[in-house]
PDB file of all heavy atoms in Angstrom:
ATOM      1  N   ASN A 957     107.676  94.716  37.583  1.00  0.00           N
ATOM      2  CA  ASN A 957     109.009  94.553  36.919  1.00  0.00           C
ATOM      3  C   ASN A 957     109.974  95.265  37.795  1.00  0.00           C
ATOM      4  O   ASN A 957     109.650  95.846  38.863  1.00  0.00           O
ATOM      5  CB  ASN A 957     108.969  95.102  35.500  1.00  0.00           C
ATOM      6  CG  ASN A 957     108.440  96.508  35.387  1.00  0.00           C
ATOM      7  OD1 ASN A 957     108.533  97.255  36.352  1.00  0.00           O
ATOM      8  ND2 ASN A 957     107.844  96.858  34.293  1.00  0.00           N
ATOM      9  N   TYR A 958     111.178  95.327  37.301  1.00  0.00           N
ATOM     10  CA  TYR A 958     112.233  95.964  38.096  1.00  0.00           C
ATOM     11  C   TYR A 958     112.341  97.449  37.872  1.00  0.00           C
ATOM     12  O   TYR A 958     113.042  98.168  38.535  1.00  0.00           O
ATOM     13  CB  TYR A 958     113.602  95.320  37.762  1.00  0.00           C
ATOM     14  CG  TYR A 958     113.697  93.956  38.352  1.00  0.00           C
ATOM     15  CD1 TYR A 958     113.434  92.821  37.590  1.00  0.00           C
ATOM     16  CD2 TYR A 958     114.109  93.756  39.678  1.00  0.00           C
ATOM     17  CE1 TYR A 958     113.501  91.565  38.122  1.00  0.00           C
ATOM     18  CE2 TYR A 958     114.200  92.485  40.242  1.00  0.00           C
ATOM     19  CZ  TYR A 958     113.945  91.372  39.473  1.00  0.00           C
ATOM     20  OH  TYR A 958     114.027  90.149  39.990  1.00  0.00           O
ATOM     21  N   SER A 959     111.695  97.939  36.816  1.00  0.00           N
ATOM     22  CA  SER A 959     111.694  99.371  36.538  1.00  0.00           C
ATOM     23  C   SER A 959     110.349  99.992  37.007  1.00  0.00           C
ATOM     24  O   SER A 959     109.382 100.016  36.290  1.00  0.00           O
ATOM     25  CB  SER A 959     111.885  99.653  35.022  1.00  0.00           C
ATOM     26  OG  SER A 959     110.845  99.032  34.297  1.00  0.00           O
ATOM     27  N   VAL A 960     110.399 100.435  38.247  1.00  0.00           N
ATOM     28  CA  VAL A 960     109.169 101.013  38.832  1.00  0.00           C
ATOM     29  C   VAL A 960     109.505 102.375  39.348  1.00  0.00           C
ATOM     30  O   VAL A 960     110.601 102.666  39.872  1.00  0.00           O
ATOM     31  CB  VAL A 960     108.714 100.105  40.002  1.00  0.00           C
ATOM     32  CG1 VAL A 960     107.485 100.716  40.679  1.00  0.00           C
ATOM     33  CG2 VAL A 960     108.395  98.695  39.531  1.00  0.00           C
ATOM     34  N   ASP A 961     108.587 103.307  39.108  1.00  0.00           N
ATOM     35  CA  ASP A 961     108.715 104.669  39.609  1.00  0.00           C
ATOM     36  C   ASP A 961     108.293 104.656  41.118  1.00  0.00           C
ATOM     37  O   ASP A 961     107.126 104.722  41.469  1.00  0.00           O
ATOM     38  CB  ASP A 961     107.837 105.633  38.825  1.00  0.00           C
ATOM     39  CG  ASP A 961     108.116 107.067  39.191  1.00  0.00           C
ATOM     40  OD1 ASP A 961     109.013 107.323  40.111  1.00  0.00           O
ATOM     41  OD2 ASP A 961     107.528 107.951  38.626  1.00  0.00           O
ATOM     42  N   TYR A 962     109.314 104.429  41.996  1.00  0.00           N
ATOM     43  CA  TYR A 962     108.996 104.236  43.354  1.00  0.00           C
ATOM     44  C   TYR A 962     108.378 105.527  43.971  1.00  0.00           C
ATOM     45  O   TYR A 962     107.443 105.445  44.825  1.00  0.00           O
ATOM     46  CB  TYR A 962     110.255 103.916  44.199  1.00  0.00           C
ATOM     47  CG  TYR A 962     110.924 102.609  43.717  1.00  0.00           C
ATOM     48  CD1 TYR A 962     112.172 102.656  43.035  1.00  0.00           C
ATOM     49  CD2 TYR A 962     110.319 101.405  43.944  1.00  0.00           C
ATOM     50  CE1 TYR A 962     112.707 101.436  42.649  1.00  0.00           C
ATOM     51  CE2 TYR A 962     110.884 100.237  43.510  1.00  0.00           C
ATOM     52  CZ  TYR A 962     112.107 100.240  42.848  1.00  0.00           C
ATOM     53  OH  TYR A 962     112.650  99.107  42.483  1.00  0.00           O
ATOM     54  N   GLU A 963     108.834 106.700  43.554  1.00  0.00           N
ATOM     55  CA  GLU A 963     108.320 107.931  44.106  1.00  0.00           C
ATOM     56  C   GLU A 963     106.862 108.105  43.729  1.00  0.00           C
ATOM     57  O   GLU A 963     106.058 108.582  44.575  1.00  0.00           O
ATOM     58  CB  GLU A 963     109.183 109.084  43.611  1.00  0.00           C
ATOM     59  CG  GLU A 963     108.706 110.423  44.294  1.00  0.00           C
ATOM     60  CD  GLU A 963     109.621 111.582  43.767  1.00  0.00           C
ATOM     61  OE1 GLU A 963     110.593 111.280  43.028  1.00  0.00           O
ATOM     62  OE2 GLU A 963     109.324 112.736  44.223  1.00  0.00           O
ATOM     63  N   ARG A 964     106.497 107.688  42.562  1.00  0.00           N
ATOM     64  CA  ARG A 964     105.119 107.803  42.121  1.00  0.00           C
ATOM     65  C   ARG A 964     104.265 106.795  42.899  1.00  0.00           C
ATOM     66  O   ARG A 964     103.126 107.125  43.188  1.00  0.00           O
ATOM     67  CB  ARG A 964     105.023 107.534  40.626  1.00  0.00           C
ATOM     68  CG  ARG A 964     103.623 107.651  40.070  1.00  0.00           C
ATOM     69  CD  ARG A 964     103.606 107.392  38.580  1.00  0.00           C
ATOM     70  NE  ARG A 964     102.248 107.423  38.067  1.00  0.00           N
ATOM     71  CZ  ARG A 964     101.929 107.152  36.753  1.00  0.00           C
ATOM     72  NH1 ARG A 964     102.881 106.789  35.939  1.00  0.00           N
ATOM     73  NH2 ARG A 964     100.667 107.220  36.341  1.00  0.00           N
ATOM     74  N   CYS A 965     104.740 105.672  43.169  1.00  0.00           N
ATOM     75  CA  CYS A 965     104.003 104.667  43.907  1.00  0.00           C
ATOM     76  C   CYS A 965     104.002 104.939  45.426  1.00  0.00           C
ATOM     77  O   CYS A 965     103.322 104.218  46.162  1.00  0.00           O
ATOM     78  CB  CYS A 965     104.585 103.303  43.661  1.00  0.00           C
ATOM     79  SG  CYS A 965     104.448 102.710  41.959  1.00  0.00           S
ATOM     80  N   GLY A 966     104.770 105.970  45.859  1.00  0.00           N
ATOM     81  CA  GLY A 966     104.821 106.237  47.281  1.00  0.00           C
ATOM     82  C   GLY A 966     105.664 105.255  48.037  1.00  0.00           C
ATOM     83  O   GLY A 966     105.437 104.979  49.260  1.00  0.00           O
ATOM     84  N   VAL A 967     106.713 104.734  47.418  1.00  0.00           N
ATOM     85  CA  VAL A 967     107.608 103.713  48.090  1.00  0.00           C
ATOM     86  C   VAL A 967     108.964 104.320  48.127  1.00  0.00           C
ATOM     87  O   VAL A 967     109.457 104.968  47.212  1.00  0.00           O
ATOM     88  CB  VAL A 967     107.609 102.443  47.280  1.00  0.00           C
ATOM     89  CG1 VAL A 967     108.521 101.424  47.885  1.00  0.00           C
ATOM     90  CG2 VAL A 967     106.162 101.804  47.242  1.00  0.00           C
ATOM     91  N   PHE A 968     109.631 104.093  49.248  1.00  0.00           N
ATOM     92  CA  PHE A 968     111.038 104.509  49.404  1.00  0.00           C
ATOM     93  C   PHE A 968     111.938 103.524  48.741  1.00  0.00           C
ATOM     94  O   PHE A 968     112.148 102.435  49.154  1.00  0.00           O
ATOM     95  CB  PHE A 968     111.371 104.635  50.910  1.00  0.00           C
ATOM     96  CG  PHE A 968     112.699 105.243  51.192  1.00  0.00           C
ATOM     97  CD1 PHE A 968     113.234 106.255  50.357  1.00  0.00           C
ATOM     98  CD2 PHE A 968     113.456 104.748  52.244  1.00  0.00           C
ATOM     99  CE1 PHE A 968     114.459 106.775  50.616  1.00  0.00           C
ATOM    100  CE2 PHE A 968     114.720 105.347  52.477  1.00  0.00           C
ATOM    101  CZ  PHE A 968     115.202 106.310  51.702  1.00  0.00           C
ATOM    102  N   GLY A 969     112.463 103.913  47.532  1.00  0.00           N
ATOM    103  CA  GLY A 969     113.161 102.969  46.696  1.00  0.00           C
ATOM    104  C   GLY A 969     114.425 102.328  47.351  1.00  0.00           C
ATOM    105  O   GLY A 969     114.673 101.143  47.166  1.00  0.00           O
ATOM    106  N   LYS A 970     115.160 103.171  48.095  1.00  0.00           N
ATOM    107  CA  LYS A 970     116.340 102.651  48.706  1.00  0.00           C
ATOM    108  C   LYS A 970     116.050 101.561  49.703  1.00  0.00           C
ATOM    109  O   LYS A 970     116.747 100.532  49.804  1.00  0.00           O
ATOM    110  CB  LYS A 970     117.093 103.804  49.349  1.00  0.00           C
ATOM    111  CG  LYS A 970     118.468 103.434  49.927  1.00  0.00           C
ATOM    112  CD  LYS A 970     119.131 104.632  50.553  1.00  0.00           C
ATOM    113  CE  LYS A 970     120.499 104.221  51.112  1.00  0.00           C
ATOM    114  NZ  LYS A 970     121.231 105.411  51.677  1.00  0.00           N
ATOM    115  N   ALA A 971     114.978 101.764  50.452  1.00  0.00           N
ATOM    116  CA  ALA A 971     114.569 100.767  51.454  1.00  0.00           C
ATOM    117  C   ALA A 971     114.084  99.487  50.746  1.00  0.00           C
ATOM    118  O   ALA A 971     114.363  98.356  51.190  1.00  0.00           O
ATOM    119  CB  ALA A 971     113.460 101.328  52.327  1.00  0.00           C
ATOM    120  N   PHE A 972     113.413  99.632  49.571  1.00  0.00           N
ATOM    121  CA  PHE A 972     112.942  98.458  48.854  1.00  0.00           C
ATOM    122  C   PHE A 972     114.100  97.692  48.313  1.00  0.00           C
ATOM    123  O   PHE A 972     114.118  96.446  48.427  1.00  0.00           O
ATOM    124  CB  PHE A 972     112.009  98.911  47.710  1.00  0.00           C
ATOM    125  CG  PHE A 972     111.613  97.777  46.789  1.00  0.00           C
ATOM    126  CD1 PHE A 972     110.652  96.838  47.186  1.00  0.00           C
ATOM    127  CD2 PHE A 972     112.281  97.583  45.569  1.00  0.00           C
ATOM    128  CE1 PHE A 972     110.295  95.828  46.324  1.00  0.00           C
ATOM    129  CE2 PHE A 972     111.907  96.548  44.763  1.00  0.00           C
ATOM    130  CZ  PHE A 972     110.940  95.636  45.133  1.00  0.00           C
ATOM    131  N   GLN A 973     115.122  98.363  47.769  1.00  0.00           N
ATOM    132  CA  GLN A 973     116.284  97.600  47.233  1.00  0.00           C
ATOM    133  C   GLN A 973     117.045  96.926  48.375  1.00  0.00           C
ATOM    134  O   GLN A 973     117.548  95.785  48.172  1.00  0.00           O
ATOM    135  CB  GLN A 973     117.194  98.592  46.467  1.00  0.00           C
ATOM    136  CG  GLN A 973     116.554  99.244  45.246  1.00  0.00           C
ATOM    137  CD  GLN A 973     116.316  98.216  44.187  1.00  0.00           C
ATOM    138  OE1 GLN A 973     116.889  97.113  44.123  1.00  0.00           O
ATOM    139  NE2 GLN A 973     115.385  98.576  43.259  1.00  0.00           N
TER     140      GLN A 973
END
Side-chain angles (χ1 to χ4, degrees):
N957 51 29
Y958 287 96
S959 58
V960 178
D961 189 356
Y962 299 111
E963 185 177 356
R964 181 180 178 184
C965 295
V967 177
F968 187 35
K970 185 177 180 180
F972 173 78
Q973 296 296 337

